Amino acid sequence: SFLQVIMKLAVYEPTEYSRYLEGLLRQIRDVAGSTITFYEDLQFMVEDIESGGDSFDILIVVCGERPSEGINAAYQIKFHLADCQIIFIQQSDLLIPEVYRVEHVCALSKKHVPLLLIDAVQKAVKNLLEKDRRVIYVNVDHEKRYIPLRNVFYLERVQRKTKICYETNMGKKAEIETSFSVQQILSPFQKNPFVRCHKSIFVNMQKIEGFHSAYLLLTSQERIPIGRTYQTQVRAAFLKFADSNLVEY
């Protein structure tokens, strides 16, 4: 029952090979109850995602005679669907260096598909289960922006606005503001990784790289001050978080 969590699976393959892949995927009982979308046109697939018309959890890309086209499309999809798991299928065992531009589960040659494709899908599912997929959203210029909770560095209340500092899908730091309070943003989550370290700042403990008595060092290399009245609280919360989430080697 490992595929019960999958909402959508997509396949790009413009030839008759798509029928073979569909038959292979349908052999898994739980996939039969999930949605599998087949795309024959790369540009249509990318535009469909960019417009918000569709989304999926796993994408299988069959690299044809011009593999760069499928790889570039996967790169664009990954930009819009950061959690999407990519599986490349190549014509042969020859290495295609371009695939390493895109974070992917694996790259299989067609001759290995019958034996290894299902294993690859299982690995993709495992990756999805291990991710914190919760999101927060804010309205910016009359459109909703969705931000994975694990990407947020910190929330800061400034003059009746809350600044959300987060990491983009491209690994860059960005900021947006909302009229929602910090409490309103975090209240929908029964548990969240945030700790209050200052009168106006809540830090995501997933983003703490270093702990100092006067400040927290984030993975962005930004230093966030710890208010005197919050030092004991922050230390206790972080030790509890680390004890339940980190493994020491």
Side-chain angles (χ1 to χ4, degrees):
S1 60
F2 67 88
L3 281 174
Q4 290 178 349
V5 296
I6 297 303
M7 298 299 294
K8 289 187 178 182
L9 188 150
V11 180
Y12 166 68
E13 169 51 61
T15 72
E16 290 296 316
Y17 188 66
S18 62
R19 292 186 179 182
Y20 171 75
L21 289 178
E22 183 175 14
L24 186 61
L25 292 171
R26 293 294 180 189
Q27 291 178 22
I28 309 176
R29 182 189 61 189
D30 294 309
V31 172
S34 302
T35 301
I36 305 178
T37 303
F38 284 83
Y39 288 93
E40 296 183 359
D41 186 289
L42 279 174
Q43 191 59 35
F44 176 78
M45 178 179 71
V46 173
E47 291 177 356
D48 204 19
I49 298 302
E50 290 179 340
S51 67
D54 202 359
S55 65
F56 37 77
D57 298 287
I58 297 174
L59 171 63
I60 298 174
V61 177
V62 181
C63 301
E65 295 180 1
R66 300 173 64 183
S68 60
E69 293 181 351
I71 294 168
N72 289 337
Y75 182 81
Q76 294 178 64
I77 295 298
K78 194 72 176 177
F79 179 80
H80 294 280
L81 302 175
D83 289 341
C84 182
Q85 302 294 295
I86 310 291
I87 298 172
F88 290 109
I89 295 178
Q90 306 171 179
Q91 299 298 318
S92 66
D93 285 328
L94 294 177
L95 176 66
I96 304 178
E98 292 91 337
V99 301
Y100 294 102
R101 289 183 60 234
V102 186
E103 180 186 346
H104 60 281
V105 178
C106 66
L108 305 173
S109 65
K110 277 190 174 182
K111 71 178 184 180
H112 291 141
V113 164
L115 184 64
L116 298 178
L117 180 60
I118 303 307
D119 287 342
V121 174
Q122 286 179 316
K123 174 62 177 173
V125 172
K126 183 180 178 181
N127 291 346
L128 288 169
L129 289 172
E130 290 176 349
K131 285 179 176 286
D132 182 346
R133 307 182 70 200
R134 294 175 295 175
V135 299
I136 60 176
Y137 77 87
V138 294
N139 287 313
V140 179
D141 298 329
H142 305 291
E143 72 173 15
K144 288 183 178 180
R145 297 280 185 87
Y146 293 88
I147 305 171
L149 195 65
R150 67 177 184 278
N151 285 11
V152 178
F153 289 113
Y154 60 87
L155 305 170
E156 182 176 9
R157 191 67 177 171
V158 182
Q159 297 180 349
R160 296 185 180 182
K161 295 281 187 178
T162 298
K163 180 173 70 175
I164 303 174
C165 181
Y166 66 100
E167 184 177 16
T168 69
N169 294 337
M170 303 301 290
K172 296 182 179 180
K173 181 183 170 184
E175 295 179 357
I176 56 175
E177 288 187 340
T178 175
S179 58
F180 286 111
S181 68
V182 173
Q183 288 74 19
Q184 287 175 312
I185 293 172
L186 297 180
S187 62
F189 308 110
Q190 288 186 337
K191 293 183 179 180
N192 67 71
F194 287 82
V195 61
R196 190 173 194 171
C197 66
H198 192 272
K199 182 179 179 181
S200 59
I201 304 174
F202 291 72
V203 170
N204 185 349
M205 289 183 284
Q206 294 172 316
K207 295 294 189 181
I208 295 177
E209 184 174 285
F211 198 107
H212 190 272
S213 60
Y215 64 84
L216 297 170
L217 178 65
L218 304 187
T219 55
S220 62
Q221 301 306 301
E222 186 173 1
R223 294 183 177 185
I224 302 298
I226 303 176
R228 288 185 179 181
T229 59
Y230 297 97
Q231 288 181 354
T232 301
Q233 172 186 324
V234 171
R235 183 174 295 276
F238 184 69
L239 288 176
K240 182 178 179 180
F241 171 80
D243 183 59
S244 60
N245 292 279
L246 303 182
V247 178
E248 293 186 2
Y249 293 94

